[in-house]
Amino acid sequence: MKKPNRTAFAIASLSLAAALSVGLPHAAFAASATASVAWQAASADADIEKAFAQAKAEKKPVLLYWGAKWCPPCNQLKATLFNRQDFIEQTQAIVPVHIDGDSPGAQKLGTRFKVRGYPTMILFSADGREITRLPGEIDAPQVIKVLQLGLAGGRPVGDVLADAKAGKKLSANEWRLLGFYSWETGESQLVPAAELPALLAQLAAASQGVDGETTTRLWLKALSASNEGKGLKPDAKLAELVRSVLTSPAESRAQMDVLTNGAADIVKTLTPEAGAARTKLLGEFEVALKRLEADSSLSRADRLGALGARIGLARLDTPKTELQPKLNAALVKDVKDAAAKADREITDGYERQAVISSAAHWLGQAGLWKDSDDLLKSSLSKSHSPYYLMSQLGGNAKKQGRKEEALRWYAESFEKSQGPATRLQWGSGYVAALTELAPQDAARIEKTAAQLFNEAAQDKGSFYERSARSLQRVGGTLLKWNADGKHDASIARLKTQLDGICSKVDTADKQRATCEGLLKAPAKKV
């Protein structure tokens, strides 16, 4: 679940720009105790049609938010954006619609709107055209600016992109809309993932001379998308551009989200091999990231993200499987202190879900596995979705070779998980862990898979979107487990169970075909 980004364009009716110019903290925008976004819950096509009918009648755009209770980035939005007075006021000019991923028809709606990852925010015109997808990784003021851009422009991002690719002239605001489009949650609607680096580079070059910040953002995005040596190649001008951003406090703050989320990929793209050039670039990143880490105008999650980027860069040439990386002692202390401070100070439930899970992850990446475990365990009673933390504990134990402990945590996380889509997702993870860590336990593996299939049969949305992918993961895991044919009897019984379930599944939208394919081995290539 990657996060989003935003642009700068203020609407006169808001005091946001003025407040930002004098550096007021986020708390200055806190909503009153009673103020909140008037979300309209949607769990079926009828709810969506009602919302768009209202939008058309009132000549308002629609903001669609797709999320889940447990999702850390979703909780980050609730802690830093959805409770802001300026955002709440802005939503009075739109029809805000919320789809909870565990509501009855949510996964079918996910298919309709081509949304897969949590969170996703889409702005539609009153007549249902998609204007843009709002990034979730940028900080709250930037999100509001992107929303304002969409409201002010009104043209669908697909049309804007087509004009840009054709060499037509765009306004500065349209370039900003492209720069801050949530390419991470775009689900390749505008461009196939493999072509994204080249497209972003094309847009960056075409935007030259219109809006410097947007051009820089597009180049950074292109570099970040060029991971694993795919996409852009090392370039002296791009290297200088990155260095100019890193050494400028104002520019690095404006590009905070790209720098923290894409640090490792940017460094690997510009300096594929270790050496003097990489060492110099790493040093410049370290200074910029430490500055962001200390920036009180950023949320705690964003500051922790900067710290996480430092850890990622420190591990750049270390195998991902290395449990005890050789890191600078000062960096290790920074991670430990930041996690302890977050645990000590955070009282808001949404913020805890967003920050603690990240802090525990970075503790592990720094080799502080006991600290990570202790933080997660002490947070279980404070979390509204403890099963998320339990799955992290399972992952920690698995990485360290503590198989039985890992399975206990995975089992408990599945048992405690809530909501049909969430249970299928957590259950698929449990089945995967069982087949990897206890492949000999056929009875437990079959029993868990059968339980998941039974639960899927109770939910009409099970063969759409995320739920369908969870079930496909279960099927693929089971087929791999039985690759040698030793568990034919278990697979046969599960197939019989599925046959009964699939015969009752609607044929619409290929749901039945999805069900029937769960335990069907892929055809061998000739």
Side-chain angles (χ1 to χ4, degrees), residues 413-434:
S413 69
F414 173 46
E415 178 187 340
K416 298 289 177 62
S417 62
Q418 300 174 349
T422 293
R423 285 192 56 75
L424 290 180
Q425 183 173 337
W426 259 247
S428 70
Y430 182 34
V431 170
L434 281 171

Side-chain angles (χ1 to χ4, degrees), residues 40-52 64 66 97-100 102-110 112-113 460 464:
Q40 296 186 23
S43 60
D45 287 323
D47 299 323
I48 295 297
E49 303 311 330
K50 180 181 177 182
F52 275 107
L64 181 73
W66 154 275
V97 177
H98 172 217
I99 302 176
D100 182 326
D102 280 305
S103 61
Q107 298 306 315
K108 181 179 179 181
L109 290 176
R112 171 176 174 174
F113 293 113
K460 291 184 178 180
Y464 287 104

